[in-house]
Amino acid sequence: MSKQDLSVTAKLINGGVAGLVGVTCVFPIDLAKTRLQNQHGKDIYKGMIDCLMKTVRVEGFLGMYRGAAVNLTLVTPEKAIKLAANDFFRQLLMEDGMQRDLKMEMLAGCGAGMCQVVVTCPMEMLKIQLQDAGRLAHPQTSAPAPASCRPHGVGSAPAHKRPSATLIAWELLRTQGLAGLYKGLGATLLRDIPFSIVYFPLFANLNNLGFDELAGKASFAHSFMSGCAAGSIAAVTVTPLDVLKTRIQTLKKGLGEDSYTGIRDCARKLWIQEGPSAFMKGAGCRALVIAPLFGIAQGVYFLGIGERILQSFE
């Protein structure tokens, strides 16, 4: 295996390890984000803490990890693709990615965002159904959804039976084909491409502020904090697009909740019925999710865990 192949493999391992560790740490906050974003002008949950407390009370501690299996399964390829693709495009566009060129950095981030959607869209599609199931089953929203809102058999199981990612995926594939798993693809692209355009250049420039010429890189603490800062800023910036994506990808609706025909229809109904503030629902949760995820990712890259694993097999 060539040195370049080893470098790519190490980056894929680093991305996967970072994703697994990060998701395990922040998944309950991500669940709260999804449920808060899906509140159609109702006060089922007053905020993140209230959402998590009610989730534990009604569904138990493991209720906070509904949908985590999907993320843990798919986050490795998703994070690996995202981080490795950004590095690849930086090297392709910027002479090994060393010099500072904001336009090229943004273009590299755009490429990374486009590549990751192949995994991100179906992963989020399944995760959202599982995360939101508890909100629909909450005592205040336990009224059954109209038959017209049920997605081709998804959610048609008895109320006491929790949905599974396998069942949802199978029903979508059986009734809608592969397109079913990619519902909301446009909204996912609209969220992930701007996120990557903001995050990667911002991280690179923040991290460069702490560059140590003797060590040849910034310190671990500086890289970690740069990842957290860049991640939280990028996350809040694209929150309105994340809200639209979450609403569009939620298949099973509660009583009186709208269905959407597309991004424009969703944005229009959200603005008219819930006001402009609805576009920032879950912004705090999203920042709390993304900041440590990317702080951990940059920390894993800094420590070179992938390189160490590969060296152990030599």
Side-chain angles (χ1 to χ4, degrees):
M1 186 180 288
S2 68
K3 186 175 181 180
Q4 184 176 3
D5 290 335
L6 285 171
S7 176
V8 172
T9 304
K11 288 172 182 175
L12 294 174
I13 294 173
N14 285 333
V17 171
L20 290 172
V21 174
V23 167
T24 302
C25 293
V26 304
F27 193 84
I29 304 174
D30 186 64
L31 178 135
K33 178 207 69 114
T34 296
R35 293 188 178 184
L36 289 170
Q37 287 182 340
N38 265 329
Q39 289 193 120
H40 289 229
K42 300 172 185 175
D43 292 326
I44 304 167
Y45 307 116
K46 306 297 182 183
M48 181 186 73
I49 301 299
D50 181 56
C51 178
L52 293 176
M53 289 178 64
K54 287 179 177 176
T55 297
V56 172
R57 186 165 64 246
V58 175
E59 304 168 57
F61 177 80
L62 292 180
M64 293 191 298
Y65 281 87
R66 277 197 177 193
V70 175
N71 258 36
L72 290 172
T73 302
L74 297 179
V75 75
T76 298
E78 188 262 343
K79 282 290 179 290
I81 290 170
K82 184 172 193 145
L83 294 170
N86 180 69
D87 280 349
F88 171 77
F89 286 118
R90 285 177 67 87
Q91 290 179 3
L92 183 68
L93 297 169
M94 300 170 57
E95 298 179 7
D96 294 330
M98 296 304 294
Q99 85 279 21
R100 303 268 73 83
D101 185 332
L102 184 59
K103 289 182 180 178
M104 291 298 102
E105 288 174 337
M106 293 175 72
L107 190 58
C110 177
M114 291 182 68
C115 290
Q116 77 167 86
V117 169
V118 174
V119 177
T120 304
C121 192
M123 176 179 76
E124 297 246 330
M125 179 71 180
L126 297 174
K127 181 197 72 171
I128 285 171
Q129 314 317 314
L130 298 171
Q131 286 182 329
D132 202 49
R135 180 185 68 89
L136 295 173
H138 194 276
Q140 297 181 42
T141 57
S142 57
S148 60
C149 293
R150 294 182 181 175
H152 305 281
V154 176
S156 58
H160 68 274
K161 186 176 180 180
R162 290 185 176 182
S164 71
T166 303
L167 175 63
I168 294 170
W170 171 249
E171 287 294 330
L172 285 170
L173 287 170
R174 184 178 64 82
T175 59
Q176 302 177 34
L178 191 60
L181 288 175
Y182 281 87
K183 180 180 173 66
L185 176 61
T188 306
L189 283 166
L190 279 178
R191 181 200 66 174
D192 287 351
I193 290 177
F195 177 91
S196 295
I197 288 174
V198 172
Y199 171 78
F200 286 110
L202 183 56
F203 168 77
N205 285 277
L206 287 175
N207 196 49
N208 191 54
L209 295 175
F211 185 80
D212 186 340
E213 292 185 1
L214 292 176
K217 58 184 177 181
S219 67
F220 173 84
H222 189 86
S223 290
F224 180 84
M225 292 307 298
S226 295
C228 288
S232 60
I233 291 171
V236 172
T237 300
V238 302
T239 292
L241 301 169
D242 188 56
V243 173
L244 296 178
K245 184 199 71 67
T246 299
R247 291 287 183 97
I248 290 169
Q249 287 189 319
T250 301
L251 298 175
K252 189 174 181 180
K253 305 292 184 180
L255 188 63
E257 294 182 350
D258 281 311
S259 296
Y260 310 104
T261 58
I263 298 170
R264 184 177 298 179
D265 179 57
C266 182
R268 181 181 60 82
K269 288 179 178 176
L270 200 62
W271 180 276
I272 294 171
Q273 297 173 7
E274 301 176 51
S277 63
F279 287 90
M280 294 304 292
K281 282 186 174 183
C285 289
R286 183 161 166 75
L288 288 174
V289 169
I290 299 297
L293 272 178
F294 282 89
I296 290 168
Q298 299 304 337
V300 168
Y301 261 61
F302 179 93
L303 295 172
I305 290 175
E307 289 82 355
R308 295 185 184 187
I309 291 174
L310 291 176
Q311 286 175 3
S312 68
F313 287 100
E314 290 181 355

